[in-house]
Amino acid sequence: MDKPLVKMMDPTLAEMGNHLSDAMKILESGKLESEQGKERRKLSWKDIPGPLQGDGQDVVSILQLVQNLMHGDDDKQGQRRMQYVAEQGHMALLGHSLAAYISVLERERLRKLTTRILSDTTLWLCRLFRYENGSAYYHEDDCEGLVNVCRLVINTHYEDYATEGFTMLSSKHPVIYQSAACRPGLGQHLCCQLGLPLSCLCIVPCNTMFGSLHQMDVALLDKLIRDDRESGKVPLLLIANAGTPGAGHTDKLSRLKELCVQYNMWLHVEGVNLATLALGQVSSAVTPATKCDSMTLTPGPWLGLPAVPAVTLYRHEDPALSLAAGLTSSQPVEKLRALPLWLSLQYLGHDGIVQRIKHASQLSQQLLEHLKTLASIKTSVGELVFIHLAVCLLEDTKLSFSASSGGSVEGYFAGDVLDALNRWLGEQLAQQVPLSGVDVVELEDEGTCVRFSPLMTAAALGTQENDVAALVEKLGEMIPVLSCTLRFRQDFKDEVLQQASLSYIEDLSWPGLGGVRYEPRTTDLDEDKRQHSVEKINGDLLKKLMELDTDLYFSGGPEFCEEKNGIFIGMATEDLDVAELVETIVSIGRDIEESGKLFENMTEVVRRGIQEAELQLQKANEEKLIEEGVFRQIPLVGSVLNWLSPVQASVKGRTFNLAEGCLDSTEPVYSVKAQMNKEASLDSPKSITKRFPGQKLFRRQGAGSDSVSDTSSVNQLEESFREMAHVQASDAEEAEVPQEHHVHIVEETALSDQRVPEGQETESVDTLR
């Protein structure tokens, strides 16, 4: 049956479909160039803009160039987070190619074809979303439909607006009302496009005492409209939400419609919950949207269709005013905007469209049911079908924490700290469960929250029930880590403030225990030298801490942190020993500071040591001369005398102590007991307590298996942080040389630079050993 259809198809259309299929296979295959191909491409400078090649290129070469530009230097397919383009997505992409091909038809045939496409698509959408007797305007920008609707309403209220223009508006100012929970910048964009002053925009607050905090205050809106009418203004249009952008709440559409009818206003509704109108059972809060004057739909993200236009459905009886407002066009080519949507809707069918929206509904309900079993979770629920999830730590959990400083724990842990932890939580969830589609949003009342909106992401990412289960599992692992970090944050601050050599860095935007800086005890340096010393010591300290066998994450701080030269500690677990952590930081910092002082004074120490060695060598030579006599110093006579009567001279060994800057006797060095004590003193810092085999640093002894499992989850959460921290530490720090190695180098330098009297080479070496 397929072969006759292929023969009957226009050859150009068949070729177009084949070319699109081949192109999508190449771009989606994920097969990048080989290493030789990359080197050849680098040498050919194809990525640098330049003149066109005279002989042109074939299709495969051009698509390969597009693929290289799309993926850049990524060598791993897992690093690319691209939208999942299913078969219906291919139909949408084919629609753009067909629109270009159809536009070359003769005018009459083009008019008939575009009229059919436009009427079919409008009819299907009106029936799907229960919007009877509506017209449709297809537009690329989400706000463009609302702008043209406003032009239509202005032309309706001001009969002479087409001829008089803005002078008609100056006598009676129009007023556009919108909720405070609408998209940011929407009202300003409308005024800019319509040429209206911002005084024509009225922001209606949400309920502050009664009802939802995200719904428009209807009583206050009624008062604002009456006041504007009494002052001679014209209430023009009201923008309501059926699913706020942040949390998915729906305004009281039925009461808002009554107000609009009472004051002869236009009601426009937008929001994600309008998709529920396609289901068999619609929420009573969303159902009144079918009676509004206009609504804006975004079927692209709802159905996983790339590059399809948004649709504004509206009702108006005068086609001339619609044409003047730009909602309709006499140009057939502009009507081809609906072609990608026309193809995709036919491919999916009514059942396929409803199934995708229903699937998103089930994902939301599944997550909501699982969240009821987790503690310290607060959900901000819009419609029961589609939930924009706001995950944040409950304020009640703050009340159980102890404040040893006597301050308000609730005040300390409120606001920025919780926002930072929730931001970290959202970033970790998005990274570890990318198919869930969660993102981080800023809500006016709740603050930073994690949003789960499957209707906007599930179709594009291919989210399934197992992805939601993985999301809940990760949440169960991270919530205890967040709670422990909050509990230990104040304890860490108190421990740091008790140390004279440490200063606490107060950064509420850091998601972890907090920040600390080691302060050198030297006060005789000027400000520049002291700043350099602080930078060097804390840089070396950060490197030492990162090399320790621990699950804690150490970093140089946030990217835009105002405090410099700090060490920031990440998330904590239940078995963390805060006192041991701070004591270890102090101990390592003190060792680095003392080692740094030794290196700074190295030149002066060596110079003084060499001078003292020269004086002692000269004195030893004089004593030898007195003891042996003058004759033994004559080369030939001295050899005969030494052979006949050898002299038993005592050799006094010397060692050069860099720490003290003086020469000492070598007698203690050859003492076995002293040597063993010296080796014992070079062990690890005293603050690092004895641990059981396999036990990490900074863990309290006797920790149970639960703590170990929690720590293992932290390892998985913070692997990406550790890689980034090692890169920052390697770039910002100088390589350290062990202290013993420096000692040997200086000893060898002192030996080579000493001026030894002739004939006393052997003795001089012995004296400096």
Side-chain angles (χ1 to χ4, degrees):
M1 185 67 183
D2 294 341
K3 294 183 178 179
L5 290 177
V6 174
K7 292 181 180 179
M8 295 174 59
M9 184 182 296
D10 188 340
T12 305
L13 292 178
E15 184 179 3
M16 183 185 306
N18 293 332
H19 284 172
L20 178 64
S21 178
D22 295 340
M24 293 301 299
K25 289 179 180 178
I26 294 175
L27 296 178
E28 293 180 346
S29 62
K31 296 180 180 179
L32 300 179
E33 296 175 295
S34 61
E35 294 298 330
Q36 297 179 354
K38 290 181 180 180
E39 294 296 331
R40 193 182 307 113
R41 178 165 55 88
K42 291 180 180 178
L43 295 176
S44 62
W45 302 94
K46 286 187 177 180
D47 290 341
I48 300 178
L52 289 173
Q53 299 184 9
D55 54 351
Q57 301 184 60
D58 55 14
V59 176
V60 177
S61 300
I62 297 174
L63 291 177
Q64 184 66 60
L65 175 60
V66 173
Q67 185 189 34
N68 295 333
L69 295 176
M70 288 169 54
H71 302 304
D73 297 330
D74 294 339
D75 295 329
K76 297 181 180 180
Q77 180 72 18
Q79 293 180 353
R80 308 177 198 150
R81 185 177 177 179
M82 295 184 59
Q83 178 174 325
Y84 173 71
V85 182
E87 290 295 332
Q88 70 271 14
H90 290 185
M91 295 300 296
L93 299 178
L94 178 61
H96 291 277
S97 301
L98 285 177
Y101 174 68
I102 294 174
S103 64
V104 301
L105 295 176
E106 57 179 325
R107 186 172 183 83
E108 184 61 26
R109 185 173 300 179
L110 176 62
R111 185 188 62 80
K112 292 181 180 179
L113 179 58
T114 55
T115 302
R116 171 64 184 274
I117 293 173
L118 193 63
S119 60
D120 285 351
T121 309
T122 303
L123 178 62
W124 297 336
L125 290 175
C126 289
R127 289 183 176 178
L128 271 172
F129 298 100
R130 306 170 186 263
Y131 197 80
E132 299 178 357
N133 301 323
S135 302
Y137 172 65
Y138 303 89
H139 46 93
E140 303 297 334
D141 187 1
D142 293 348
C143 299
E144 185 180 351
L146 180 56
V147 170
N148 288 344
V149 165
C150 289
R151 290 195 178 100
L152 174 63
V153 180
I154 291 176
N155 280 278
T156 303
H157 281 74
Y158 300 90
E159 297 180 357
D160 297 332
Y161 178 75
T163 57
E164 300 296 333
F166 186 75
T167 57
M168 295 294 301
L169 306 179
S170 60
S171 59
K172 293 184 178 181
H173 286 187
V175 182
I176 299 174
Y177 303 89
Q178 74 164 34
S179 171
C182 282
R183 287 182 289 169
L186 177 62
Q188 290 80 354
H189 178 75
L190 288 178
C191 293
C192 180
Q193 295 296 317
L194 298 173
L196 298 176
L198 291 179
S199 58
C200 295
L201 179 64
C202 180
I203 306 298
V204 182
C206 295
N207 289 328
T208 55
M209 297 182 62
F210 305 101
S212 172
L213 295 177
H214 302 276
Q215 289 181 332
M216 190 185 305
D217 193 333
V218 181
L220 180 58
L221 173 63
D222 189 9
K223 182 179 182 302
L224 292 173
I225 295 175
R226 284 188 278 105
D227 293 343
D228 289 336
R229 287 171 60 91
E230 292 176 359
S231 61
K233 298 180 180 180
V234 179
L236 196 67
L237 180 139
L238 172 63
I239 305 173
N241 290 310
T244 55
H249 292 82
T250 300
D251 290 325
K252 301 175 182 178
L253 299 179
S254 58
R255 294 193 58 189
L256 295 180
K257 179 59 180 177
E258 295 175 359
L259 281 181
C260 290
V261 173
Q262 177 182 352
Y263 296 110
N264 191 24
M265 293 174 55
W266 186 284
L267 177 60
H268 179 84
V269 181
E270 62 178 23
V272 65
N273 291 332
L274 291 176
T276 61
L277 295 173
L279 298 178
Q281 295 181 353
V282 185
S283 171
S284 58
V286 184
T287 301
T290 59
K291 305 299 181 181
C292 66
D293 298 294
S294 62
M295 65 170 64
T296 297
L297 309 175
T298 55
W302 298 348
L303 305 177
L305 304 175
V308 298
V311 185
T312 296
L313 301 179
Y314 65 97
R315 296 189 183 97
H316 200 268
E317 299 178 354
D318 191 344
L321 292 181
S322 299
L323 180 62
L327 291 172
T328 58
S329 175
S330 59
Q331 298 297 326
V333 177
E334 294 188 9
K335 298 179 181 180
L336 289 175
R337 291 180 181 175
L339 181 57
L341 194 55
W342 183 74
L343 293 174
S344 301
L345 292 178
Q346 290 187 89
Y347 184 85
L348 290 172
H350 183 274
D351 295 340
I353 296 171
V354 174
Q355 178 59 35
R356 277 161 176 76
I357 299 176
K358 186 177 181 180
H359 175 67
S361 167
Q362 294 172 349
L363 293 178
S364 295
Q365 293 177 344
Q366 177 187 356
L367 180 60
L368 184 60
E369 290 297 326
H370 283 89
L371 289 180
K372 294 179 180 178
T373 62
L374 295 178
S376 300
I377 292 289
K378 181 174 65 176
T379 58
S380 178
V381 182
E383 292 301 318
L384 295 178
V385 178
F386 297 104
I387 303 151
H388 287 254
L389 178 66
V391 180
C392 60
L393 296 176
L394 281 175
E395 296 181 358
D396 296 341
T397 61
K398 298 179 295 188
L399 301 179
S400 62
F401 300 151
S402 61
S404 57
S405 60
S408 173
V409 180
E410 183 175 357
Y412 177 77
F413 287 118
D416 295 338
V417 176
L418 290 179
D419 289 344
L421 294 179
N422 280 280
R423 191 177 300 109
W424 176 86
L425 175 63
E427 292 172 355
Q428 290 296 312
L429 291 175
Q431 179 182 357
Q432 298 191 29
V433 194
L435 294 183
S436 64
V438 296
D439 60 343
V440 179
V441 294
E442 302 287 341
L443 300 181
E444 183 176 358
D445 298 306
E446 287 83 358
T448 303
C449 300
V450 182
R451 178 176 60 185
F452 177 70
S453 180
L455 183 58
M456 301 297 294
T457 59
L461 298 177
T463 308
Q464 301 298 327
E465 294 182 357
N466 57 343
D467 299 317
V468 177
L471 180 65
V472 175
E473 181 181 358
K474 292 299 179 183
L475 269 174
E477 296 175 358
M478 295 179 185
I479 293 302
V481 176
L482 292 172
S483 300
C484 292
T485 302
L486 274 179
R487 186 167 66 253
F488 288 130
R489 192 176 177 108
Q490 183 66 34
D491 296 341
F492 176 76
K493 180 179 180 180
D494 296 339
E495 290 288 341
V496 170
L497 293 178
Q498 293 177 4
Q499 301 291 336
S501 58
L502 296 181
S503 61
Y504 182 77
I505 300 177
E506 187 73 38
D507 190 348
L508 300 181
S509 64
W510 173 253
L513 283 180
V516 64
R517 182 190 299 108
Y518 186 87
E519 301 290 348
R521 291 169 290 180
T522 304
T523 59
D524 56 349
L525 300 177
D526 57 25
E527 185 62 27
D528 293 338
K529 291 183 179 180
R530 176 177 175 79
Q531 199 65 22
H532 177 73
S533 177
V534 171
E535 180 180 357
K536 180 64 170 62
I537 292 176
N538 284 275
D540 295 342
L541 177 58
L542 175 60
K543 184 177 180 180
K544 290 288 187 182
L545 292 173
M546 294 172 63
E547 292 174 353
L548 295 178
D549 184 17
T550 178
D551 290 322
L552 285 178
Y553 162 64
F554 299 95
S555 171
E559 182 178 359
F560 302 102
C561 180
E562 296 180 357
E563 297 286 346
K564 303 299 181 183
N565 305 323
I567 299 172
F568 288 81
I569 296 92
M571 294 294 174
T573 52
E574 181 66 31
D575 56 354
L576 176 65
D577 192 334
V578 179
E580 181 186 354
L581 169 63
V582 176
E583 185 179 351
T584 303
I585 295 175
V586 174
S587 176
I588 299 177
R590 186 182 300 113
D591 293 342
I592 295 175
E593 182 183 5
E594 294 176 355
S595 177
K597 290 180 180 179
L598 174 63
F599 295 151
E600 291 174 1
N601 301 327
M602 187 68 67
T603 303
E604 183 65 22
V605 169
V606 172
R607 186 182 65 80
R608 293 198 307 264
I610 292 176
Q611 290 178 354
E612 184 179 354
E614 289 178 349
L615 294 176
Q616 293 193 17
L617 287 174
Q618 184 179 359
K619 183 178 180 181
N621 290 332
E622 293 176 354
E623 293 176 354
K624 182 178 180 182
L625 179 62
I626 296 174
E627 181 181 355
E628 296 180 356
V630 179
F631 290 103
R632 291 185 183 271
Q633 309 306 319
I634 301 174
L636 183 59
V637 178
S639 299
V640 176
L641 291 177
N642 289 331
W643 179 68
L644 294 175
S645 177
V647 177
Q648 299 295 330
S650 60
V651 179
K652 297 180 180 181
R654 295 289 186 269
T655 179
F656 188 29
N657 190 340
L658 288 177
E660 300 294 336
C662 63
L663 291 177
D664 296 332
S665 175
T666 58
E667 184 176 353
V669 177
Y670 298 99
S671 176
V672 178
K673 183 177 181 179
Q675 185 71 16
M676 293 178 62
N677 292 336
K678 181 178 179 180
E679 293 177 356
S681 64
L682 297 177
D683 289 341
S684 58
K686 298 179 181 179
S687 61
I688 302 178
T689 59
K690 183 178 179 181
R691 307 188 307 276
F692 295 102
Q695 181 182 358
K696 299 283 186 178
L697 283 176
F698 316 129
R699 284 192 180 183
R700 296 192 301 271
Q701 296 183 5
S705 58
D706 295 338
S707 299
V708 177
S709 62
D710 291 341
T711 307
S712 62
S713 66
V714 179
N715 283 333
Q716 299 176 358
L717 297 179
E718 299 181 348
E719 286 179 358
S720 60
F721 284 117
R722 292 182 180 275
E723 296 176 0
M724 181 173 61
H726 280 292
V727 174
Q728 294 176 352
S730 61
D731 292 339
E733 301 159 359
E734 299 176 354
E736 290 192 24
V737 182
Q739 180 175 351
E740 294 81 357
H741 183 60
H742 279 283
V743 172
H744 292 303
I745 292 175
V746 177
E747 290 179 356
E748 294 174 3
T749 305
L751 290 173
S752 62
D753 291 343
Q754 301 212 359
R755 297 185 293 277
V756 182
E758 185 178 357
Q760 304 297 328
E761 292 84 354
T762 305
E763 182 179 358
S764 63
V765 174
D766 293 337
T767 58
L768 288 176
R769 290 183 57 184

